[in-house]
Amino acid sequence: MSNSQSDLSPSVAARKRRLSVFAKAGEEALTPLFERFAAAHPIADYTVLRAPEVGTSMVRGRAGGSGAPFNLGEMSVTRMSVRLPSGAVGHGYVQGRSKGAARMAALLDAMAEDGVAESVDDLVTTPLEEAAQSARAARAAKAAATKVEFFTMVRGEG
Amino acid sequence: MYVAVKGGERAIDNAHTWLAEERRGDVDISELSTGQIREQLALAVDRVMAEGSLYDPDLAALAIKQARGDMIEAVFLIRAYRTTLPRFGASAPIDTGAMACDRRISATYKDLPGGQVLGPTFDYTHRLLDFALAAEGLEPQEAPEAVTDAGDLPHVTDFLAQEDLIQREPEGTDTPRDLTREPLDFPTDRPLRLQALSRGDEGFVLSMAYSTQRGYGRNHPFVGELRIGTVTVEMDIPELGFAIEIGEAVLTECETVNQFTGSKTEPPQFTRGYGLTFGRCERKAISMALVDRAMRWAELGEDNVGAPAQDEEFVLYHADNVQASGFLEHIKLPHYVDFQSELELIRRLRTEAMAAQHQEAAE
C-alpha cells in the first residue's frame, strides 16, 4: 500500500504530510505549537477512541540496499485516536514513547479533518517542518565541510 | 541442571539495595543524567540500540545507566523491555539511497559523485589521550560549515551495476522471516542472516569478520561504501489507508565489493556483502558485511572451505550476546543438587581406587 506523494489526492497528501511531520517532531517541539494552536482554536471536548499505547514498528532494510527486504530491528512508536463532537476522527502516530505527543498529533489531525486544516498547517505543521529542514541543513553543511579530495601519489621513476 | 532453591530473600534484597548504592557511586560527584548519556556517550547508546534491536535513544541511555555501563546487561534490559510492547506493523523497506549522510566514504573510488565526506570520525586522529577533556567546562569549537550539494548521494555499487560488473541483488519476499517471531531454523536465508547479524554482538561479528581476512574463508573485500546518516521510516497505517513517515533513524550502512572469479553457476563479476545497523556502528557494519559475504558461499557456488565464518549454524547460534550470556552465566546460579551427586560419585570412585591400591600393596 506504500504510496508516493503523487498518487494521492491533495487532501490525503496534505494529511500524510501533516502526520509525518507530527510523528517526527518530538513532544518538546510539538507542545508550544500545539498550545498556540489550541489557544486560537479551543478544543472543548473529545472522545478517546483508542487510549495512548506504546508499541513498535519493525523497521525493514533491503539486502545490499536494493534487494530482498529483511527485518533490521524495531523502533518505539506511540499511537492514539480521538473523535471530536462533530464526528471528525484523528489518529496520532509518533516516534518514541510520548503519550502526550501522540495525543497532540491525534487532536491536530482531528481538527484538520474538522475544517481548520489551514490553521493546523500554518501554526503547527509548517513551522515544525521548517525547523526540521533547518536542522537537517545545518548538519549537511557541517558534513560538506568534511568533504575531502584524496590524491593518489605518483611514484617517482628509478 | 539448575534446581530451584528457596530462601535468601533478605540477602537478595540487601544485595540489590547495595547495588543501587554502588551504581550511584560517590554522592559528592554529580549524578549522571540519561540525557548526558544519550548526548555524550552516544556511541554506547547506538551499540545498545543495535544489539538490543530497538531504536530508542532515551531507553538505551536508561539501560546503560541502570546496567552501570555493562553493555551486554544494557542490551539484555532493552530486549526484555521490547518483549512487553505490541508491534503495530512493519515499515516499508527504508531507502538508504535517500539517507541524509553525515559521513560517506568509499575505499574503491577516489572521485565519486557527491564526494568523500568524512563526517565526525575517529579516523586520522592520533589516538593520543586528550587530557584537555579531563578538565570540565571547555566548550568545543563550533564545527565549520560549507555549501552543500543538493540531492541524494548515489550508492557506489550502482556505478558497478550500471556496467553489469557486480551481481544484482535478487528480489525477496515482502514478508521476510523474523527470528523474534519464530525460532532460528536452518537452513536460513539471507534476510534472516542479516537480521541476526545486525543484532549480533559487535565483538563476535568483528572476530568472525577478522577471521575471514586472516584466511579462514577469505573473500577479498573492498569497502565500496560506508555511509552514516538519517533515514525516514514509513509505515502503512491501516486506519488511515495510506502510509505516513512514523519516524527517523540514524543508521550505518556498509557495502563491500568482493572479488569473484566466477563459479559453476555465476560469471566473473564482483559480489557484495552488506552491513546495516541502527546508530553509528561502523566497525560493526563493516564486520557484518564481511560475514554476510562469507555465508553466501552456497548461493554463489563457492567451495565451503570449512571456515567458521562460512558456517551459518556456528555464526548465528553464537552471535547473540543475550542468549550466550544467559546460558553462560546460569552456571553461577545454585547447582547444589547436581554438584552433590558429582561429589558422591567422586568420593565413591576414590574409595574404590584406594581400596584397590591397598589390596595391591598387601599382595
Side-chain angles (χ1 to χ4, degrees):
Chain A
M1 184 166 59
S2 260
N3 26 38
S4 66
Q5 205 81 21
S6 56
D7 311 333
L8 303 172
S9 73
S11 69
V12 168
R15 194 175 187 192
K16 176 186 167 104
R17 166 195 172 227
R18 207 174 286 134
L19 286 170
S20 298
V21 169
F22 300 159
K24 296 178 288 181
E27 185 175 351
E28 210 177 307
L30 195 53
T31 303
L33 298 178
F34 174 81
E35 281 168 2
R36 194 169 61 151
F37 171 84
H41 301 272
I43 304 166
D45 190 24
Y46 64 90
T47 313
V48 174
L49 292 182
R50 176 159 56 204
E53 181 184 21
V54 179
T56 70
S57 166
M58 175 54 91
V59 180
R60 290 192 174 140
R62 285 189 183 279
S66 56
F70 69 96
N71 294 304
L72 176 64
E74 284 160 275
M75 62 179 258
S76 54
V77 174
T78 303
R79 66 180 179 186
M80 182 180 182
S81 299
V82 298
R83 186 173 56 212
L84 300 180
S86 68
V89 171
H91 302 290
Y93 271 80
V94 297
Q95 180 171 16
R97 288 163 297 111
S98 167
K99 293 179 177 177
R103 180 181 150 274
M104 290 185 274
L107 286 172
L108 289 167
D109 181 45
M111 289 299 278
E113 292 298 297
D114 203 21
V116 286
E118 209 170 304
S119 280
V120 171
D121 290 342
D122 289 349
L123 294 172
V124 186
T125 318
T126 304
L128 285 173
E129 198 171 50
E130 284 169 1
Q133 268 161 6
S134 60
R136 187 176 267 230
R139 281 197 88 80
K142 287 177 185 175
T146 68
K147 194 179 285 188
V148 289
E149 308 285 338
F150 282 120
F151 297 101
T152 34
M153 306 299 275
V154 178
R155 289 190 192 164
E157 298 284 321
Chain B
M1 187 179 56
Y2 172 75
V3 177
V5 287
K6 285 172 73 173
E9 288 88 349
R10 198 187 46 174
I12 291 169
D13 282 348
N14 292 347
H16 291 168
T17 307
W18 194 17
L19 171 66
E21 188 182 284
E22 288 284 297
R23 175 188 296 123
R24 176 61 183 85
D26 183 348
V27 291
D28 290 334
I29 294 182
S30 51
E31 189 185 344
L32 196 55
S33 72
T34 54
Q36 286 171 329
I37 296 171
R38 190 191 63 227
E39 296 301 313
Q40 297 174 42
L41 296 178
L43 300 188
V45 167
D46 285 350
R47 183 170 174 187
V48 170
M49 293 197 298
E51 294 171 25
S53 208
L54 182 66
Y55 195 94
D56 189 318
D58 293 313
L59 273 185
L62 174 63
I64 290 167
K65 180 173 177 171
Q66 186 176 335
R68 307 178 67 191
D70 180 334
M71 299 295 277
I72 293 179
E73 181 72 16
V75 169
F76 192 171
L77 291 170
I78 291 296
R79 292 269 188 96
Y81 176 79
R82 188 207 63 83
T83 61
T84 66
L85 298 177
R87 188 182 293 176
F88 298 154
S91 82
I94 46 148
D95 178 7
T96 53
M99 180 185 281
C101 293
D102 286 351
R103 172 166 168 79
R104 186 267 203 142
I105 55 169
S106 170
T108 53
Y109 288 100
K110 182 163 62 75
D111 305 303
L112 72 165
Q116 308 260 0
V117 177
L118 293 181
T121 178
F122 291 129
D123 292 352
Y124 313 107
T125 62
H126 294 110
R127 267 69 184 215
L128 298 173
L129 272 177
D130 180 1
F131 290 97
L133 285 173
E136 289 175 38
L138 288 177
E139 292 302 322
Q141 264 185 302
E142 212 165 308
E145 300 190 349
V147 181
T148 57
D149 306 327
D152 295 338
L153 295 174
H155 276 122
V156 165
T157 46
D158 293 347
F159 308 135
L160 291 166
Q162 277 160 18
E163 284 187 74
D164 235 0
L165 292 176
I166 193 163
Q167 199 200 29
R168 303 233 173 226
E169 288 292 354
E171 299 263 312
T173 143
D174 282 346
T175 313
R177 287 164 71 180
D178 182 354
L179 59 82
T180 67
R181 291 294 171 90
E182 49 178 297
L184 200 51
D185 198 15
F186 295 94
T188 60
D189 53 21
R190 195 170 174 218
L192 195 66
R193 294 197 298 262
L194 290 172
Q195 180 184 17
L197 287 174
S198 190
R199 57 198 252 132
D201 181 75
E202 178 172 317
F204 178 83
V205 181
L206 168 65
S207 293
M208 282 290 116
Y210 182 44
S211 75
T212 68
Q213 289 186 292
R214 292 195 61 256
Y216 295 86
R218 199 184 291 283
N219 56 38
H220 307 281
F222 293 96
V223 171
E225 184 171 336
L226 179 71
R227 54 171 65 193
I228 300 178
T230 306
V231 298
T232 52
V233 179
E234 195 170 281
M235 184 171 79
D236 283 332
I237 307 296
E239 55 269 39
L240 290 169
F242 55 87
I244 66 163
E245 292 169 9
I246 47 155
E248 287 182 323
V250 174
L251 304 180
T252 305
E253 180 185 53
C254 176
E255 287 189 283
T256 58
V257 175
N258 300 65
Q259 198 186 81
F260 184 63
T261 51
S263 69
K264 289 159 235 142
T265 54
E266 300 289 330
Q269 61 187 335
F270 290 116
T271 56
R272 311 167 189 236
Y274 190 64
L276 185 69
T277 70
F278 281 155
R280 288 143 292 192
C281 301
E282 70 179 53
R283 184 187 302 116
K284 166 76 170 285
I286 301 168
S287 302
M288 177 174 166
L290 265 56
V291 179
D292 167 48
R293 178 61 185 79
M295 287 195 286
R296 296 183 68 193
W297 64 271
E299 150 200 1
L300 294 169
E302 292 175 326
D303 291 332
N304 180 356
V305 298
Q310 289 182 310
D311 182 340
E312 63 169 14
E313 281 200 38
F314 181 80
V315 173
L316 301 189
Y317 270 143
H318 302 113
D320 193 294
N321 54 25
V322 174
Q323 253 167 28
S325 59
F327 195 64
L328 183 106
E329 294 194 37
H330 99 282
I331 65 172
K332 75 192 174 183
L333 299 174
H335 280 66
Y336 306 138
V337 176
D338 260 6
F339 188 68
Q340 277 303 318
S341 70
E342 295 275 317
L343 206 56
E344 293 290 320
L345 181 65
I346 290 287
R347 282 202 176 112
R348 188 159 51 80
L349 291 175
R350 272 181 73 95
T351 314
E352 284 168 11
M354 276 151 103
Q357 267 175 11
H358 279 297
Q359 189 80 25
E360 258 173 52
E363 279 168 9

